[in-house]
Amino acid sequence: MIIISPSILSCDFSKMGQQFRFMEDCGADWLHIDVMDGHFVPNITLGAPIVKVLRPVTPLTFDVHLMISEPLRYIRDFAAAGSDIITFHYECDSDIEETIDLIHSLGCKAGLSVKPKTDIEKIYPYLDKLDMVLVMTVEPGFGGQSFMADMMPKITKLREECSKRGLDILIQVDGGISLKTIAEAAKAGANVFVAGSAVFGAESPKDMIAELRSKAAECF
């Protein structure tokens, strides 16, 4: 299964509703919604009230990525706002297992993310409870950064560990995904691809999503 999740961090925020609908028409599978608190990462984006307002716009899966220090405090808000998948960071200040359990109890899927400098083994104790793992291929906090190819062994190692345990976990990659990099990430074992500027900055986002999907499919 190949999933393309355009990152709204690269969209025109003055036309978010229109752009959400446009991504649906372009063949996107999910919408990746980056939430930043200005503390865990330097930037600030949006909160649960905006997710709630945008939820009726499209039936696409809301793939919410919490780059915040205390996700446990806000899980209920983002679940109530209409999130389908809530991913938070291993490096946060909240209790990891308690946060995962709360996400599931509210009917959402749970993802756990790691920054580039975090060893992938750190999340192994939680794999049995996770629906997805997000491996960052840039430092979180800003869009438009260059793809970190040296993260590919981390993805491969994670995929091997999941296979060893018989776990069918989605592996998402976020950061610098484009036509030049998606095949490398797919070969490493990723199957969910966050693409921001590559999609929203394309002359034809619909064609770009189709091409990204095709490039990834060639690796399976």
Side-chain angles (χ1 to χ4, degrees):
M1 175 171 54
I2 296 167
I3 295 169
I4 306 296
S5 185
S7 171
I8 69 160
L9 194 61
S10 297
C11 82
D12 181 345
F13 273 42
S14 71
K15 302 175 182 176
M16 288 181 75
Q18 296 173 36
Q19 299 222 322
F20 276 34
R21 285 189 290 268
F22 181 53
M23 285 297 108
E24 181 184 346
D25 293 340
C26 287
D29 301 296
W30 297 356
L31 284 170
H32 188 79
I33 301 174
D34 288 305
V35 177
M36 308 179 193
D37 63 359
H39 184 261
F40 184 77
V41 292
N43 208 353
I44 296 175
T45 51
L46 49 79
I50 295 178
V51 175
K52 183 177 181 179
V53 169
L54 292 166
R55 178 67 279 181
V57 170
T58 175
L60 286 178
T61 295
F62 275 15
D63 166 29
V64 177
H65 178 193
L66 301 182
M67 288 176 269
I68 62 179
S69 296
E70 298 181 74
L72 186 60
R73 290 180 57 188
Y74 301 98
I75 296 301
R76 291 186 185 278
D77 293 338
F78 281 99
S83 305
D84 296 294
I85 301 167
I86 301 177
T87 298
F88 66 101
H89 273 262
Y90 169 82
E91 303 88 355
C92 73
D93 296 330
S94 297
D95 182 273
I96 303 294
E97 194 159 0
E98 187 178 356
T99 305
I100 293 170
D101 288 344
L102 180 58
I103 292 171
H104 283 150
S105 74
L106 296 170
C108 299
K109 292 184 177 179
L112 189 60
S113 181
V114 289
K115 292 182 178 181
K117 293 180 182 178
T118 300
D119 291 335
I120 198 63
E121 293 93 337
K122 295 287 188 181
I123 67 167
Y124 284 6
Y126 311 103
L127 283 179
D128 291 338
K129 286 193 165 190
L130 293 170
D131 301 289
M132 184 171 76
V133 174
L134 167 54
V135 177
M136 296 296 299
T137 47
V138 295
E139 288 294 339
F142 298 92
Q145 297 182 64
S146 297
F147 178 76
M148 298 172 68
D150 55 341
M151 293 298 105
M152 296 306 98
K154 183 185 290 189
I155 294 173
T156 300
K157 193 171 184 179
L158 173 61
R159 178 57 72 194
E160 290 173 350
E161 181 67 20
C162 290
S163 296
K164 187 192 304 181
R165 298 192 192 188
L167 299 174
D168 187 21
I169 292 177
L170 295 170
I171 298 180
Q172 185 177 62
V173 61
D174 180 6
I177 292 298
S178 68
L179 290 176
K180 293 181 179 179
T181 60
I182 193 167
E184 190 172 359
K187 287 176 184 175
N191 57 351
V192 182
F193 305 93
V194 177
S197 53
V199 171
F200 285 99
E203 185 175 336
S204 170
K206 183 175 183 178
D207 290 345
M208 176 57 68
I209 289 173
E211 289 181 55
L212 287 168
R213 194 185 307 282
S214 177
K215 285 275 188 183
E218 292 173 0
C219 304
F220 287 88

